[in-house]
Amino acid sequence: MSGNRAVAYIEPGVVEVQTIDYPDLEVHDGPGVDPQNVGRECRHGVIVKVLASNICGSDQHMVRGRTTAPSDLVLGHEITGEVIETGPDVEYIHTGDIVSVPFNIACGRCRNCKERKTGICLNVNPARPGSAYGYVDMGGWVGGQAEYVMVPYADFNLLRFRDRDQALDKLLDLTMLSDIFPTGYHGCISAGVGPGSTVYIAGAGPVGLAAAASAQLLGAAVVIVGDLNDQRLAQARSFGCETIDLKRGAPGEQIEDIVGEPEVDAAVDAVGFEARGHAKDAGEAPAKVLNTLMEVARAGASLGIPGLYVTEDPGGVDSDAQTGSLKMRLGLGWAKSHSFTTGQCPVMRYHRQLAMAILHDRVQIAKAVNAQVISLEDAPRGYAEFDKGASRKYVLNPHGALDRFKMAA
């Protein structure tokens, strides 16, 4: 095959569908590729026919121009597909397998991978620990918002579904395993959510909604979601969450109205560095969510922080924010003996058990995040609507495998 349709970042606010090279088992020079990765052979890799690839809020940060992403970077780190070619060193993954691709690229050989810290693999990104498909400063691995993509270290990275027909029947839910479902779940695990917990989740975007569904799966007594977007708050209520309208101000009093006290047992930041203040038309305040979580989490609580924070933000509100230096009330967190967990979710730590929850109908994650199937060619529209606050998780459908799940736009 000679071509491969893919979604590329062009400039702030602009993405387009391009024809790029069909992938092979080697890393080639291109936008964002680390020079030390160029020419890297991947005999351990496979070529995946992409059956579903999702637009993520992390992609949106790049598309808004809030990172140093280069023009023509192929996007997409949430990938589910069918293996159509295997490298000579692949032993356990076979042609025809339906697989989920964790967004973390991990070698399976380094110290961190052996300690199940696959979000900070030491061998796949020469610039820093940790890597991902189609993401700025993550090594330059080509993204999967495309028809085909190469996946390295396939035996280690891929989650294979044993029953092909069952996987295809659940494909719209299973595509959430590559990132947002494990990420939301990781936020809840990091925050100590368990049976009977009261939980506050900041942000009702797809990761926040996935965290809310995860909290319910973990047995939380009350799941409270806060946001400024009425449509997203309505989506959270649609599957049993309590909600807080942050246009009315800080969440403490509203939490007290729900649970009888202004504090919760566990708190999750599903917003990240583009956080805004708590008022109608409030401006950007990148540390606002973190400081609010310290206010509303009880003493001794843990904070899960799956929301993205970056080291370089060209659009930051001040010189500190532009380098990821935020004005956090660390003294408050110290005084309350809070624990913080940050960083990429190590997807492999959770994706198998979450797949079982999906396959055995213990959770309807696609419904919770309001998944919307669109064509690959419609990706620019999906990005534009998502940027305006649409309460949808856009799922790209390059080969028609999701046709049965299509809903009216």
Side-chain angles (χ1 to χ4, degrees):
M1 298 184 188
S2 58
N4 180 19
R5 299 289 282 168
V7 182
Y9 166 72
I10 304 303
E11 61 185 21
V14 179
V15 300
E16 70 178 27
V17 181
Q18 303 178 343
T19 298
I20 64 171
D21 290 338
Y22 184 82
D24 58 20
L25 301 177
E26 182 179 329
V27 179
H28 299 279
D29 198 8
V33 178
D34 191 294
Q36 295 181 65
N37 261 352
V38 175
R40 184 171 183 158
E41 294 186 4
C42 297
R43 294 168 57 88
H44 43 66
V46 300
I47 307 302
V48 170
K49 177 182 177 180
V50 179
L51 301 183
S53 184
N54 317 328
I55 295 175
C56 181
S58 298
D59 299 319
Q60 198 72 64
H61 292 307
M62 289 189 289
V63 173
R64 289 188 186 121
R66 299 300 296 268
T67 72
T68 56
S71 182
D72 294 317
L73 179 75
V74 174
L75 301 168
H77 56 270
E78 301 189 13
I79 307 163
T80 309
E82 178 183 359
V83 175
I84 59 172
E85 180 184 337
T86 62
D89 291 349
V90 177
E91 294 186 73
Y92 305 112
I93 296 293
H94 304 289
T95 300
D97 286 345
I98 305 298
V99 295
S100 178
V101 184
F103 80 89
N104 324 108
I105 302 173
C107 72
R109 296 151 166 82
C110 71
R111 171 180 178 174
N112 285 347
C113 284
K114 290 180 178 180
E115 292 177 357
R116 303 180 72 206
K117 300 173 184 175
T118 53
I120 44 174
C121 174
L122 300 174
N123 288 333
V124 290
N125 182 4
R128 64 178 71 170
S131 189
Y133 304 89
Y135 211 84
V136 60
D137 296 331
M138 288 292 186
W141 301 88
V142 176
Q145 287 177 17
E147 293 175 307
Y148 304 94
V149 68
M150 190 268 280
V151 175
Y153 302 101
D155 282 326
F156 183 67
N157 280 307
L158 294 178
L159 175 65
R160 179 176 66 88
F161 302 114
R162 294 181 180 180
D163 187 324
R164 177 186 175 88
D165 291 338
Q166 183 188 37
L168 293 174
D169 284 342
K170 295 280 189 178
L171 187 60
L172 190 59
D173 288 286
L174 293 174
T175 192
M176 306 305 163
L177 289 173
S178 55
D179 183 355
I180 66 163
F181 192 13
T183 292
Y185 190 84
H186 178 61
C188 290
I189 291 291
S190 301
V193 176
S197 297
T198 56
V199 185
Y200 175 63
I201 297 168
V207 170
L209 296 171
S214 298
Q216 293 175 339
L217 187 63
L218 288 164
V222 183
V223 180
I224 306 167
V225 181
D227 205 290
L228 297 158
N229 182 312
D230 293 337
Q231 188 181 46
R232 291 180 172 183
L233 291 174
Q235 180 61 27
R237 289 192 295 272
S238 74
F239 60 99
C241 299
E242 302 286 346
T243 59
I244 286 176
D245 183 353
L246 295 174
K247 296 190 296 297
R248 293 171 48 194
E253 290 187 5
Q254 297 180 69
I255 288 174
E256 186 169 17
D257 290 341
I258 295 168
V259 298
E261 57 183 345
E263 293 184 327
V264 291
D265 299 323
V268 178
D269 172 3
V271 177
F273 73 103
E274 288 193 64
R276 307 186 73 83
H278 295 156
K280 186 178 181 180
D281 301 320
E284 195 165 300
K288 187 66 174 180
V289 170
L290 295 171
N291 289 328
T292 298
L293 294 194
M294 288 185 276
E295 293 170 5
V296 304
R298 65 174 178 81
S302 296
L303 278 58
I305 309 173
L308 175 67
Y309 290 86
V310 295
T311 56
E312 292 183 80
D313 174 10
V317 294
D318 54 35
S319 58
D320 286 335
Q322 289 167 13
T323 60
S325 300
L326 308 183
K327 296 177 175 64
M328 285 179 59
R329 293 187 63 194
L330 188 58
L332 176 60
W334 189 93
K336 296 177 78 172
S337 294
H338 285 159
S339 298
F340 299 74
T341 300
T342 65
Q344 290 186 35
C345 165
V347 170
M348 260 187 274
R349 192 177 299 176
Y350 310 111
H351 66 174
R352 188 173 300 276
Q353 67 203 69
L354 294 178
M356 292 297 286
I358 289 170
L359 294 171
H360 293 278
D361 298 317
R362 301 299 298 169
V363 63
Q364 287 76 46
I365 189 65
K367 183 178 180 181
V369 302
N370 196 20
Q372 173 76 58
V373 176
I374 61 176
S375 70
L376 187 70
E377 300 295 331
D378 271 343
R381 173 177 68 84
Y383 271 99
E385 292 178 359
F386 190 32
D387 188 52
K388 292 176 183 176
S391 184
R392 291 171 175 169
K393 177 65 172 177
Y394 288 97
V395 182
L396 305 181
N397 182 29
H399 293 283
L402 292 164
D403 284 353
R404 75 185 80 176
F405 303 104
K406 281 187 176 180
M407 298 174 288

